[in-house]
Amino acid sequence: MQAKLPFTKKEYIQRIRKVKAMMQQRRIDVLLATDPGNMNWLTGYDGWSFYVHQGVIISLDEEEPIWFGRLMDRNAALIKCYMKEDNLYGYPEKYVQNLDEHPMTWIGENIINKKGWGKVNIATERDNYYYSAEAHFRLMATLPNANFINANNLVNWARGKKSKKEIEYMKIAGRITQKIHQRVLDIVRVGIPKSHVVSQIYETAIEGVDGFGGDYPSIVPLLPSGPDASASHITWDDRPFKRKEATFFEISGCYKRYHAPMSRTIFMGKPEQKFLDAQNALQEAIHTGLEEAKPGNRTCDIANAVDKVMKKFGIDRNGARCGYPIGVSYPPDWGERTCSLRASDLTVLEAGMTFHFMPGIWQDDWGMEITESILITDDGVETLCDFPRKLFIK
């Protein structure tokens, strides 16, 4: 069966080598990556199977990684992964959501021990949505002589600088994002139910752009209105849009699991002065922050530029960060969960890094978002979407 790869085999091999170099620096012999975004990035695996235990094992002793998962998902690995068939392991059905039997017991016994890795330094992604406490306990019980280490998002950090092909995919995702926002702007009006607008968001997102079909995004559309917009992660219901209310739309297109989120705010009717002031603050903050977004500067430089503008406008963001890395991902998050755009983060910016730059404003009874997905280039920055950066009024 010929694997359908979104990248060349050469690129996957380069990624594995990069991760192995990081493993050697941390004295890690074997790494278990269970984040589905990391699995995809390392092997090409893609499927809605992350509700069961699955992962990728990388050993310094072996050239290729090992995929493990539910037996019925092994065919997906055959279709999606670049490795040879012998490196694809499926555990029996009796281990699926069984309180008495656990997949990590099988993996420890049938892969790690049999490979002779039962007494080495093993790193796991402890602070990951997809690696449960029970999984860790079962793996430790099965491998009592191993030394377990926290991987600390090692693979996530390796993903930070995007390749030329990854950037191409993210720019396609950005064009889908633009198309979605234009569709929202065209149809939203007083009296139309939010659920109807969301149905159009999904239709546009999956339809894609210019022959590139869209994928499901890792976060559902966020579109709180009025007082609800004081909270940054409220989704939708079936209530109609109302006059004298602002709604921000945080949305991302997705292409081959790569994202380019962007937020814009729409006000129904004549906006109050605080919204016009917030628009000016956000526009200036983004412009000033983008001037600091260049190789050699740090993530904190962008955040400090934003904070300075917000202070000038008398806006308190309560210490919220103003962005995070983005790329390949699966629900429930399109962020890479490594560095952040905030004053305490000293990560040095490098060409190829991508961020959702979002200095949103959330106050006691209202909120507003204008955000951009950005790419650090060799000599500065560019945005992944091209859409008017303003408060829209209908």
Side-chain angles (χ1 to χ4, degrees):
M1 191 178 294
Q2 185 66 41
K4 300 174 182 177
L5 300 174
F7 300 94
T8 64
K9 184 175 179 180
K10 180 181 178 181
E11 184 161 338
Y12 287 110
I13 291 171
Q14 289 172 338
R15 294 172 182 180
I16 296 296
R17 288 174 179 169
K18 183 176 184 179
V19 168
K20 284 185 176 181
M22 296 171 70
M23 289 169 60
Q24 288 177 319
Q25 290 175 352
R26 300 188 191 183
R27 297 183 179 180
I28 295 169
D29 300 302
V30 173
L31 170 68
L32 268 72
T34 51
D35 182 321
N38 291 342
M39 292 174 62
N40 177 287
W41 188 78
L42 291 166
T43 69
Y45 184 78
D46 181 28
W48 195 278
S49 54
F50 42 83
Y51 63 94
V52 294
H53 294 281
Q54 58 180 21
V56 173
I57 301 174
I58 297 176
S59 168
L60 296 181
D61 294 338
E62 297 203 357
E63 182 179 352
E64 286 191 350
I66 290 170
W67 177 91
F68 68 84
R70 187 179 182 179
L71 182 59
M72 70 165 55
D73 294 317
R74 187 173 179 273
N75 274 351
L78 284 167
I79 294 168
K80 297 290 186 177
C81 296
Y82 81 89
M83 300 91 75
K84 58 180 178 286
E85 188 172 346
D86 289 348
N87 279 338
L88 309 177
Y89 288 76
Y91 54 80
E93 280 293 299
K94 74 171 184 175
Y95 290 94
V96 177
Q97 297 175 353
N98 185 340
L99 294 177
D100 299 318
E101 306 275 4
H102 199 281
M104 283 299 169
T105 302
W106 188 92
I107 288 149
E109 292 172 348
N110 292 276
I111 303 178
I112 297 176
N113 264 331
K114 286 187 177 180
K115 289 282 187 179
W117 301 332
K119 298 180 180 180
V120 303
N121 294 328
I122 299 176
T124 59
E125 297 177 330
R126 292 186 195 175
D127 194 23
N128 185 271
Y129 312 122
Y130 307 90
Y131 187 65
S132 67
E134 185 65 21
H136 193 63
F137 292 151
R138 295 288 186 130
L139 196 61
M140 287 196 302
T142 309
L143 304 170
N145 297 315
N147 179 38
F148 283 90
I149 301 169
N150 189 354
N152 285 320
N153 290 347
L154 184 151
V155 180
N156 303 64
W157 280 102
R159 288 162 40 187
K161 290 178 63 176
K162 307 302 184 292
S163 69
K164 183 178 179 180
K165 196 68 175 178
E166 288 181 293
I167 292 168
E168 178 185 322
Y169 290 161
M170 293 184 75
K171 287 184 175 181
I172 293 171
R175 285 155 59 195
I176 297 173
T177 303
Q178 294 166 209
K179 187 177 177 182
I180 297 169
H181 275 281
Q182 186 60 57
R183 180 64 176 154
V184 169
L185 193 59
D186 289 343
I187 66 171
V188 71
R189 64 181 186 273
V190 172
I192 191 171
K194 283 193 170 188
S195 52
H196 173 73
V197 173
V198 173
S199 75
Q200 300 304 296
I201 290 172
Y202 273 110
E203 179 179 331
T204 308
I206 305 306
E207 182 181 53
V209 64
D210 300 332
F212 298 104
D215 206 342
Y216 60 91
S218 292
I219 300 179
V220 301
L222 305 175
L223 54 157
S225 302
D228 287 354
S230 64
S232 52
H233 298 115
I234 288 180
T235 56
W236 72 87
D237 52 28
D238 58 358
R239 81 175 185 89
F241 287 90
K242 297 179 180 179
R243 200 174 301 278
K244 296 183 180 181
E245 279 192 342
T247 303
F248 67 73
F249 295 80
E250 186 173 343
I251 299 166
S252 182
C254 183
Y255 184 69
K256 295 190 183 297
R257 303 305 324 142
Y258 283 82
H259 297 75
M262 183 180 75
S263 301
R264 292 293 185 265
T265 301
I266 301 176
F267 196 94
M268 312 301 285
K270 183 179 180 180
E272 301 165 63
Q273 187 61 42
K274 64 184 178 183
F275 287 99
L276 300 176
D277 293 341
Q279 171 189 234
N280 293 336
L282 288 170
Q283 288 174 329
E284 185 174 334
I286 292 173
H287 175 76
T288 305
L290 291 177
E291 290 184 330
E292 297 296 326
K294 54 189 175 184
N297 277 6
R298 301 164 301 175
T299 47
C300 63
D301 295 325
I302 301 175
N304 289 334
V306 168
D307 291 342
K308 185 176 181 180
V309 171
M310 292 297 174
K311 185 177 181 180
K312 183 180 79 170
F313 279 86
I315 296 172
D316 183 3
R317 297 185 66 250
N318 297 311
R321 64 180 181 171
C322 63
Y324 47 83
I326 52 171
V328 61
S329 196
Y330 288 78
D333 181 25
W334 54 47
E336 289 183 333
R337 301 182 296 283
T338 52
C339 56
S340 290
L341 303 185
R342 59 179 158 215
S344 60
D345 196 303
L346 305 179
T347 304
V348 176
L349 299 171
E350 299 180 66
M353 288 182 169
T354 49
F355 297 90
H356 185 199
F357 178 28
M358 56 167 315
I361 297 172
W362 305 282
Q363 301 298 288
D364 290 340
D365 58 356
W366 64 281
M368 184 171 170
E369 288 187 3
I370 299 175
T371 77
E372 299 284 357
S373 282
I374 63 173
L375 164 69
I376 307 300
T377 63
D378 290 332
D379 55 2
V381 66
E382 67 177 90
T383 58
L384 297 177
C385 301
D386 182 13
F387 204 75
R389 193 182 298 159
K390 66 176 186 177
L391 170 67
F392 291 93
I393 300 168
K394 291 197 74 173

